[in-house]
Amino acid sequence: MLAPLVDPVADVTTAWSVAPAPPLDSGTAKELVHDRLETQVGELVGVINTATAALVATIETVLDEGIWETAAGIRSPEHWVAWQCGVSSQHAIRLVQLARRRGELPNNTELFDAGQLSEDAMAAIARRVPAEREAEVALLAPRLLHSQLARFLSSLPEYPKKAGGEEPHSTVEFGTQADRWKMRVDLPLDEGALIEKALTVARSEVFHERHPDDGEENPRTSGVTWVDGLLRAAERALTAMGHPEERRPADRFQVLLHINASDKTARLHLGPVVPDSMRRYLSCDADVRLLFETDAFLADFSPRTRTVDDRMRAFIENRDGGCRVPGCTAQRWLHIHHIRHWEDGGETRSRNLCALCPLHHRLHHLGMLGIEGDPSTIDGLTFRDQRGRIIGARPPTPGGRPPDSSVQPYVHPSGERADWHWIVWPELDSVG
């Protein structure tokens, strides 16, 4: 006789459900109800902290084994975590940083694994605390609110990379917030000095245009700011890369591909024959000019056109909002991909086009990223890796509540005022 089917989700809901509080008019004192609810909150936060610590430990193994590198289209460990965990890119960055520093912060990691430090607290520690200071921090961290812990750690510099380790990633981030456009730049010192020099020259140019009779610029009185320098540098860059025929700024650096119409073989300009996958990649979103030859002589050539014109490109970029591959955050320098390829008769219409970043566009034409479906809806496309697995949101697997005996309830800080005057970092030689 078959056992009755059990709905696992229903069981999970029951396991995690909160028992209703007894009516206050039944004689149960409010204080007892409050105590019970606070105890329950502590138990649940302990479970959350412990589960997060276990997730971070698993991510550490993923990093050590290089598992994230086996999935096509994955740019980095952070991208893999965002995909697998269904979290934001910023949350994924934090989880990966926690995983990378587990071995360097044994005392704090022990507290984290036991549920006595939250993810926020552990992330603040991982961001600033060097290995030689972590034992001191572990003594005080569980007793501080997060705001107090952040202030406690503010006297330490951002945690540096170890000598011989990976260099920090250079980043340029920009976008809109409310009615403002903002940019954040993080570069090595030499590259930053190059940018600063360019801004200085551009700002000086603006100053001498506005004050032709003055000598050296006085930043306090000239009325010329670094914003003026940045805008002038941008204008100069666009002018330098422009063209009288209003070609795209980078057009003079464009790769030329000669395609034989009879057998579709392609050859780089003054270069070798390229594989079919490269030919399809380069011709998917490209400038096209037909050359007509007669007896090995050039008879005529067509006007230059694009497989995707500027108006269609603008529509697709705005519709897709960036690369369509789940988890990819690229929103600039996009390629417009023909789902049914242009050279196979695929139409240059919105229902056959989607935006891809250069990496994912290349992976698709190498056969490592499958794309199918209707791009006109937000969930209309299906992406598969080289093993045929769907790349998409991965909801957490339902599971029961961990046994209470294995998890210590989280004990929240007292919230008392901290006397920062009495907190002093001793010399390292005296620690221990």
Side-chain angles (χ1 to χ4, degrees):
M1 181 176 180
L2 295 175
L5 295 176
V6 177
D7 184 352
V9 178
D11 280 355
V12 171
T13 303
T14 301
W16 282 91
S17 61
V18 177
L24 294 181
D25 57 2
S26 65
T28 303
K30 288 185 178 181
E31 291 78 5
L32 294 178
V33 176
H34 293 171
D35 289 344
R36 182 179 63 78
L37 291 177
E38 288 180 356
T39 299
Q40 190 167 37
V41 167
E43 291 175 352
L44 293 175
V45 172
V47 170
I48 292 171
N49 293 346
T50 304
T52 305
L55 172 62
V56 170
T58 302
I59 294 173
E60 181 185 24
T61 303
V62 169
L63 298 178
D64 292 342
E65 300 296 331
I67 294 173
W68 66 273
E69 299 173 347
T70 64
I74 300 303
R75 294 172 174 268
S76 63
E78 292 81 2
H79 187 186
W80 186 90
V81 170
W83 167 37
Q84 292 287 330
C85 301
V87 298
S88 69
S89 58
Q90 291 301 315
H91 195 177
I93 290 172
R94 181 160 70 172
L95 290 172
V96 171
Q97 184 181 35
L98 288 175
R100 284 179 169 147
R101 298 219 58 203
R102 274 182 63 85
E104 299 175 357
L105 305 170
N107 294 281
N108 289 279
T109 295
E110 183 178 353
L111 292 171
F112 189 31
D113 291 344
Q116 299 309 296
L117 285 180
S118 68
E119 180 185 342
D120 285 345
M122 193 64 193
I125 293 169
R127 189 164 54 248
R128 285 192 177 270
V129 179
E132 57 269 19
R133 293 287 192 189
E134 76 98 17
E136 302 169 74
V137 173
L139 294 175
L140 194 57
R143 297 154 53 188
L144 298 177
L145 295 172
H146 185 266
S147 58
Q148 294 174 324
L149 177 63
R151 179 170 178 178
F152 172 52
L153 299 178
S154 64
S155 59
L156 293 173
E158 289 281 339
Y159 176 71
K161 290 286 184 180
K162 284 186 174 180
E166 295 181 0
E167 289 294 327
H169 294 294
S170 298
T171 59
V172 177
E173 301 172 352
F174 51 86
T176 57
Q177 182 177 349
D179 60 345
R180 304 290 293 176
W181 184 90
K182 298 187 176 183
M183 178 172 67
R184 180 181 180 275
V185 181
D186 185 352
L187 297 174
L189 292 176
D190 59 328
E191 294 178 359
L194 177 65
I195 300 298
E196 183 176 338
K197 184 64 176 179
L199 293 179
T200 301
V201 172
R203 175 175 170 168
S204 178
E205 182 179 282
V206 175
F207 168 77
H208 288 293
E209 287 180 0
R210 296 182 184 178
H211 308 276
D213 298 328
D214 293 349
E216 293 298 321
E217 176 188 0
N218 185 338
R220 295 183 178 179
T221 61
S222 68
V224 180
T225 67
W226 288 114
V227 174
D228 297 305
L230 179 62
L231 293 175
R232 175 54 58 88
E235 292 170 357
R236 286 296 187 192
L238 290 175
T239 300
M241 292 187 294
H243 193 277
E245 297 179 2
E246 295 183 351
R247 295 196 295 179
R248 292 178 177 271
D251 198 38
R252 63 195 178 104
F253 300 109
Q254 188 176 39
V255 174
L256 299 179
L257 191 70
H258 298 267
I259 301 178
N260 188 314
S262 60
D263 59 8
K264 292 187 177 180
T265 57
R267 183 186 299 272
L268 290 173
H269 185 61
L270 302 179
V273 173
V274 301
D276 289 346
S277 60
M278 180 62 67
R279 182 196 76 239
R280 295 171 75 90
Y281 167 72
L282 292 174
S283 62
C284 192
D285 180 9
D287 286 337
V288 177
R289 175 172 281 170
L290 300 179
L291 305 181
F292 302 95
E293 298 181 5
T294 302
D295 297 328
F297 290 95
L298 177 63
D300 198 3
F301 57 88
S302 71
R304 190 190 46 158
T305 61
R306 291 190 64 82
T307 55
V308 181
D309 63 32
D310 290 342
R311 288 178 296 181
M312 180 62 75
R313 173 182 299 278
F315 173 79
I316 299 300
E317 289 179 342
N318 185 66
R319 181 197 68 186
D320 292 355
C323 179
R324 287 290 293 266
V325 176
C328 184
T329 59
Q331 293 182 309
R332 303 282 178 174
W333 320 116
L334 300 173
H335 295 183
I336 306 302
H337 168 65
H338 287 72
I339 297 175
R340 183 184 180 196
H341 202 270
W342 174 74
E343 70 177 40
D344 294 333
E347 296 180 306
T348 306
R349 296 189 178 184
S350 60
R351 62 173 178 267
N352 190 48
L353 301 173
C354 70
L356 297 176
C357 68
L359 170 64
H360 287 123
H361 194 195
R362 184 183 297 274
L363 287 176
H364 168 73
H365 285 288
L366 290 175
M368 301 175 67
L369 180 66
I371 306 174
E372 57 186 21
D374 179 7
S376 60
T377 60
I378 191 170
D379 58 350
L381 288 178
T382 300
F383 297 85
R384 298 180 184 274
D385 65 13
Q386 71 271 34
R387 295 163 60 184
R389 300 176 300 178
I390 293 179
I391 299 175
R394 292 178 178 265
T397 303
R401 180 175 181 174
D404 291 342
S405 59
S406 66
V407 178
Q408 300 180 28
Y410 171 71
V411 180
H412 65 79
S414 65
E416 297 180 67
R417 184 176 65 87
D419 292 322
W420 304 110
H421 175 75
W422 299 106
I423 296 178
V424 179
W425 294 105
E427 294 296 329
L428 289 176
D429 291 342
S430 64
V431 175

